[in-house]
Amino acid sequence: MSVQDYLDKHLLSRKIEDAVNAAVRAKTPDPVLFISNHMRKAVQSAITKVRARQILDSRGIPTVEVDLYTNKGMFRASAPSGAPSGMYGAIELRDGDKATYLRNGVSKAVRNINEKIAEAIVGMDPILQNQIDQAMIDLDKTEKKGELGANAILAVSIAACRAGAAEKEVPLYKHIADLSGRGNHVLPVPAFTLISGGKHVGNNLAIQEIMVLPVGAQRFEEAMQMGSETYHHLKAVITEKYGAHGCNVGEDGGLAPDITSFREGLDLVMEAIGRTGYINKLKVAIDVAATDFCIGSKYDLDFKSPKKSGQNFKSGEEMIEIYKELCKDYPIVSIEDPFDKEDWEQVKNFSGLGICQVVGDDLLMSNPKRIERAIQEHACNALLLKVNQLGTVTEAIEVVKMAKDAKWGVVISQRSGETNDFFLADLSVGLATGQIKAGAPCLGERLAKYNQLIRIEEEIGDQASYIGEDWRHA
């Protein structure tokens, strides 16, 4: 075939002529680069290839990573993972082979991507996020994505979202904002984990996390400084009181001194805040994760102690009184999962007091039906969003809209098993959630999210808005 025949067959002559004319009109100093970019835009957008592999998350447990290719290049994403989400969340597909990764391998999920999902979405336009996500949901055919695996579907969904942003030549957070119909790009208040307890670490503290929120910062970069400085002051406080061994860290980077009571941990945090000079700029949040120590209708605050006296069981009513006293004595503005995931009555009673933000995690599991019930019954007033409990970007956008329409707060959340993928940072800005919980200001997989937010703030420039004191009303 001659060159002319080739040009005619692929209708290239007119496209090349248009590109040259555009370069002339633009008076570009680099016509070759200009024409190259112009021709690239003339190519119809499409997913051309999808390839998955098994990698390890921050706990050394397998998870799924995807490379998705389009005409614009390759776009990579990985799925976070956490403790099994039970009957209400989407299902992470694991191999179950005890001889490989202690049953935690994800080769089945990887194979589902390479052999089934790829075939279903190759040729689709990456800009059309909803159609890509729906194609995978239809292919799976189960309510909780148990056939293909939510870990498989989510990794592809995130990679496609990145490809869509590249096709539109906009930042990822801007593409997400476009998908959700939101126009305001606000930097969220970070909830930095300072002290870890619960099932995440080996100390005797029943509650899972004590966090600080730099609501008094003027910029996200300043919020990062406040969180980092407080974390390091806390290290010093703990070392002085308990020795260096008290500075062991949990899965998300929180310090884990061997303390037993809520107040002991809160006093340590308040002393660290006092040393920073940010007393009026930092607020406190706690993640109780009460489901982990609920026995029947009682809450065992000594559930981790090897020498349990049997005298520290609290009723739901007694837990409410504890929370009321803590909120009076400390600058606590948010409490996550103050009761068991099925203790709707007590969480409604506590939320009705209006003394702080009440966040639903185990209560909701990011499940639209649970969220709808909680909205109707006024059972909490904030959503903890874990995207892997849903499985697609589209579904994440939908539940955030539900929460915002109900005037709830929204917290974008990490998982215990994270990767260096920083998608959550762009998601928090694109959806204007106002809050992000990505762990302590240490450990690479946690800092990947926080550092990306610093970059986004710099990129937006003078138009960047840090939500600060309005963290509940983004």
mmCIF file of all heavy atoms in Angstrom, residues 189-192 212-219 222-224 226-227 281-283 466 468-469:
data_model
loop_
_atom_site.group_PDB
_atom_site.id
_atom_site.type_symbol
_atom_site.label_atom_id
_atom_site.label_comp_id
_atom_site.label_asym_id
_atom_site.label_seq_id
_atom_site.Cartn_x
_atom_site.Cartn_y
_atom_site.Cartn_z
ATOM 1 N N VAL A 189 -10.850 19.424 56.072
ATOM 2 C CA VAL A 189 -10.152 19.360 57.354
ATOM 3 C C VAL A 189 -9.685 17.922 57.560
ATOM 4 O O VAL A 189 -10.489 16.990 57.481
ATOM 5 C CB VAL A 189 -11.069 19.786 58.510
ATOM 6 C CG1 VAL A 189 -10.450 19.424 59.861
ATOM 7 C CG2 VAL A 189 -11.333 21.283 58.460
ATOM 8 N N PRO A 190 -8.396 17.707 57.801
ATOM 9 C CA PRO A 190 -7.913 16.344 58.048
ATOM 10 C C PRO A 190 -8.140 15.934 59.504
ATOM 11 O O PRO A 190 -7.927 16.733 60.423
ATOM 12 C CB PRO A 190 -6.413 16.449 57.747
ATOM 13 C CG PRO A 190 -6.072 17.883 58.055
ATOM 14 C CD PRO A 190 -7.302 18.698 57.758
ATOM 15 N N ALA A 191 -8.596 14.710 59.692
ATOM 16 C CA ALA A 191 -8.720 14.141 61.041
ATOM 17 C C ALA A 191 -7.497 13.256 61.269
ATOM 18 O O ALA A 191 -7.460 12.107 60.832
ATOM 19 C CB ALA A 191 -10.006 13.332 61.166
ATOM 20 N N PHE A 192 -6.485 13.822 61.918
ATOM 21 C CA PHE A 192 -5.225 13.110 62.119
ATOM 22 C C PHE A 192 -5.331 12.145 63.294
ATOM 23 O O PHE A 192 -5.642 12.562 64.420
ATOM 24 C CB PHE A 192 -4.083 14.091 62.410
ATOM 25 C CG PHE A 192 -3.718 14.986 61.257
ATOM 26 C CD1 PHE A 192 -3.927 16.350 61.327
ATOM 27 C CD2 PHE A 192 -3.161 14.458 60.099
ATOM 28 C CE1 PHE A 192 -3.578 17.185 60.283
ATOM 29 C CE2 PHE A 192 -2.815 15.280 59.042
ATOM 30 C CZ PHE A 192 -3.025 16.649 59.131
ATOM 31 N N VAL A 212 -7.169 14.601 66.048
ATOM 32 C CA VAL A 212 -7.298 16.053 66.134
ATOM 33 C C VAL A 212 -7.683 16.614 64.773
ATOM 34 O O VAL A 212 -7.262 16.108 63.733
ATOM 35 C CB VAL A 212 -6.002 16.745 66.634
ATOM 36 C CG1 VAL A 212 -5.758 16.419 68.088
ATOM 37 C CG2 VAL A 212 -4.809 16.392 65.770
ATOM 38 N N LEU A 213 -8.488 17.677 64.806
ATOM 39 C CA LEU A 213 -8.942 18.355 63.598
ATOM 40 C C LEU A 213 -8.461 19.802 63.634
ATOM 41 O O LEU A 213 -8.892 20.574 64.506
ATOM 42 C CB LEU A 213 -10.473 18.347 63.503
ATOM 43 C CG LEU A 213 -11.191 17.077 63.046
ATOM 44 C CD1 LEU A 213 -10.983 15.943 64.038
ATOM 45 C CD2 LEU A 213 -12.671 17.346 62.844
ATOM 46 N N PRO A 214 -7.573 20.201 62.727
ATOM 47 C CA PRO A 214 -7.058 21.580 62.723
ATOM 48 C C PRO A 214 -8.060 22.545 62.074
ATOM 49 O O PRO A 214 -7.834 23.082 60.990
ATOM 50 C CB PRO A 214 -5.770 21.479 61.902
ATOM 51 C CG PRO A 214 -5.540 20.028 61.654
ATOM 52 C CD PRO A 214 -6.874 19.377 61.745
ATOM 53 N N VAL A 215 -9.175 22.784 62.745
ATOM 54 C CA VAL A 215 -10.226 23.616 62.164
ATOM 55 C C VAL A 215 -9.816 25.086 62.120
ATOM 56 O O VAL A 215 -10.396 25.873 61.360
ATOM 57 C CB VAL A 215 -11.554 23.461 62.939
ATOM 58 C CG1 VAL A 215 -12.031 22.015 62.890
ATOM 59 C CG2 VAL A 215 -11.403 23.917 64.385
ATOM 60 N N GLY A 216 -8.827 25.472 62.934
ATOM 61 C CA GLY A 216 -8.413 26.868 62.985
ATOM 62 C C GLY A 216 -7.342 27.245 61.987
ATOM 63 O O GLY A 216 -6.901 28.405 61.960
ATOM 64 N N ALA A 217 -6.913 26.309 61.158
ATOM 65 C CA ALA A 217 -5.908 26.625 60.137
ATOM 66 C C ALA A 217 -6.539 27.478 59.035
ATOM 67 O O ALA A 217 -7.751 27.445 58.813
ATOM 68 C CB ALA A 217 -5.327 25.346 59.543
ATOM 69 N N GLN A 218 -5.696 28.225 58.338
ATOM 70 C CA GLN A 218 -6.168 29.047 57.230
ATOM 71 C C GLN A 218 -6.002 28.340 55.885
ATOM 72 O O GLN A 218 -6.688 28.672 54.924
ATOM 73 C CB GLN A 218 -5.409 30.376 57.207
ATOM 74 C CG GLN A 218 -5.620 31.224 58.454
ATOM 75 C CD GLN A 218 -7.090 31.545 58.685
ATOM 76 O OE1 GLN A 218 -7.751 32.081 57.814
ATOM 77 N NE2 GLN A 218 -7.593 31.195 59.866
ATOM 78 N N ARG A 219 -5.076 27.391 55.821
ATOM 79 C CA ARG A 219 -4.807 26.644 54.599
ATOM 80 C C ARG A 219 -4.571 25.183 54.962
ATOM 81 O O ARG A 219 -4.240 24.866 56.109
ATOM 82 C CB ARG A 219 -3.575 27.203 53.872
ATOM 83 C CG ARG A 219 -3.751 28.588 53.302
ATOM 84 C CD ARG A 219 -2.445 29.122 52.710
ATOM 85 N NE ARG A 219 -1.866 28.209 51.716
ATOM 86 C CZ ARG A 219 -2.269 28.131 50.453
ATOM 87 N NH1 ARG A 219 -3.256 28.897 50.022
ATOM 88 N NH2 ARG A 219 -1.685 27.293 49.605
ATOM 89 N N GLU A 222 -1.123 24.570 56.311
ATOM 90 C CA GLU A 222 -0.988 24.924 57.726
ATOM 91 C C GLU A 222 -1.601 23.836 58.607
ATOM 92 O O GLU A 222 -1.070 23.521 59.680
ATOM 93 C CB GLU A 222 -1.660 26.266 57.996
ATOM 94 C CG GLU A 222 -1.510 26.740 59.449
ATOM 95 C CD GLU A 222 -2.294 27.999 59.752
ATOM 96 O OE1 GLU A 222 -3.016 28.504 58.869
ATOM 97 O OE2 GLU A 222 -2.193 28.486 60.902
ATOM 98 N N ALA A 223 -2.707 23.258 58.160
ATOM 99 C CA ALA A 223 -3.330 22.163 58.911
ATOM 100 C C ALA A 223 -2.369 20.992 59.036
ATOM 101 O O ALA A 223 -2.274 20.346 60.088
ATOM 102 C CB ALA A 223 -4.619 21.727 58.224
ATOM 103 N N MET A 224 -1.637 20.687 57.965
ATOM 104 C CA MET A 224 -0.642 19.622 57.998
ATOM 105 C C MET A 224 0.443 19.922 59.023
ATOM 106 O O MET A 224 0.866 19.035 59.776
ATOM 107 C CB MET A 224 -0.002 19.442 56.620
ATOM 108 C CG MET A 224 -0.813 18.628 55.641
ATOM 109 S SD MET A 224 -1.074 16.924 56.159
ATOM 110 C CE MET A 224 0.594 16.317 56.295
ATOM 111 N N MET A 226 0.161 21.772 61.700
ATOM 112 C CA MET A 226 -0.423 21.614 63.036
ATOM 113 C C MET A 226 -0.500 20.143 63.435
ATOM 114 O O MET A 226 -0.162 19.771 64.566
ATOM 115 C CB MET A 226 -1.825 22.234 63.068
ATOM 116 C CG MET A 226 -1.866 23.731 62.987
ATOM 117 S SD MET A 226 -3.583 24.309 63.071
ATOM 118 C CE MET A 226 -3.332 26.075 62.973
ATOM 119 N N GLY A 227 -0.953 19.308 62.497
ATOM 120 C CA GLY A 227 -1.074 17.889 62.804
ATOM 121 C C GLY A 227 0.266 17.242 63.062
ATOM 122 O O GLY A 227 0.423 16.459 64.016
ATOM 123 N N LYS A 281 -7.131 26.216 68.099
ATOM 124 C CA LYS A 281 -7.233 25.906 66.677
ATOM 125 C C LYS A 281 -7.410 24.425 66.389
ATOM 126 O O LYS A 281 -7.684 24.037 65.257
ATOM 127 C CB LYS A 281 -5.990 26.416 65.949
ATOM 128 C CG LYS A 281 -5.843 27.933 65.970
ATOM 129 C CD LYS A 281 -4.649 28.390 65.156
ATOM 130 C CE LYS A 281 -4.558 29.902 65.110
ATOM 131 N NZ LYS A 281 -3.432 30.371 64.270
ATOM 132 N N LEU A 282 -7.259 23.597 67.410
ATOM 133 C CA LEU A 282 -7.396 22.153 67.240
ATOM 134 C C LEU A 282 -8.595 21.634 68.030
ATOM 135 O O LEU A 282 -8.750 21.956 69.209
ATOM 136 C CB LEU A 282 -6.132 21.428 67.714
ATOM 137 C CG LEU A 282 -4.862 21.636 66.880
ATOM 138 C CD1 LEU A 282 -3.660 21.086 67.621
ATOM 139 C CD2 LEU A 282 -4.990 20.963 65.517
ATOM 140 N N LYS A 283 -9.430 20.847 67.379
ATOM 141 C CA LYS A 283 -10.525 20.155 68.051
ATOM 142 C C LYS A 283 -10.222 18.662 68.075
ATOM 143 O O LYS A 283 -9.313 18.184 67.396
ATOM 144 C CB LYS A 283 -11.847 20.420 67.333
ATOM 145 C CG LYS A 283 -12.243 21.894 67.277
ATOM 146 C CD LYS A 283 -12.431 22.488 68.658
ATOM 147 C CE LYS A 283 -12.878 23.940 68.565
ATOM 148 N NZ LYS A 283 -13.031 24.557 69.909
ATOM 149 N N TYR A 466 -9.718 26.412 52.045
ATOM 150 C CA TYR A 466 -9.654 25.406 53.106
ATOM 151 C C TYR A 466 -10.897 25.565 53.962
ATOM 152 O O TYR A 466 -11.208 26.670 54.426
ATOM 153 C CB TYR A 466 -8.384 25.599 53.933
ATOM 154 C CG TYR A 466 -8.280 24.689 55.141
ATOM 155 C CD1 TYR A 466 -8.147 23.324 54.986
ATOM 156 C CD2 TYR A 466 -8.334 25.205 56.441
ATOM 157 C CE1 TYR A 466 -8.060 22.474 56.088
ATOM 158 C CE2 TYR A 466 -8.241 24.377 57.543
ATOM 159 C CZ TYR A 466 -8.107 23.011 57.372
ATOM 160 O OH TYR A 466 -8.016 22.189 58.461
ATOM 161 N N GLY A 468 -11.838 24.685 57.018
ATOM 162 C CA GLY A 468 -11.626 25.205 58.359
ATOM 163 C C GLY A 468 -12.814 25.081 59.290
ATOM 164 O O GLY A 468 -13.364 23.996 59.496
ATOM 165 N N GLU A 469 -13.251 26.216 59.839
ATOM 166 C CA GLU A 469 -14.320 26.225 60.847
ATOM 167 C C GLU A 469 -15.653 25.738 60.291
ATOM 168 O O GLU A 469 -16.553 25.368 61.050
ATOM 169 C CB GLU A 469 -14.486 27.645 61.397
ATOM 170 C CG GLU A 469 -13.266 28.204 62.121
ATOM 171 C CD GLU A 469 -13.079 27.611 63.504
ATOM 172 O OE1 GLU A 469 -13.956 26.839 63.956
ATOM 173 O OE2 GLU A 469 -12.063 27.944 64.151
#
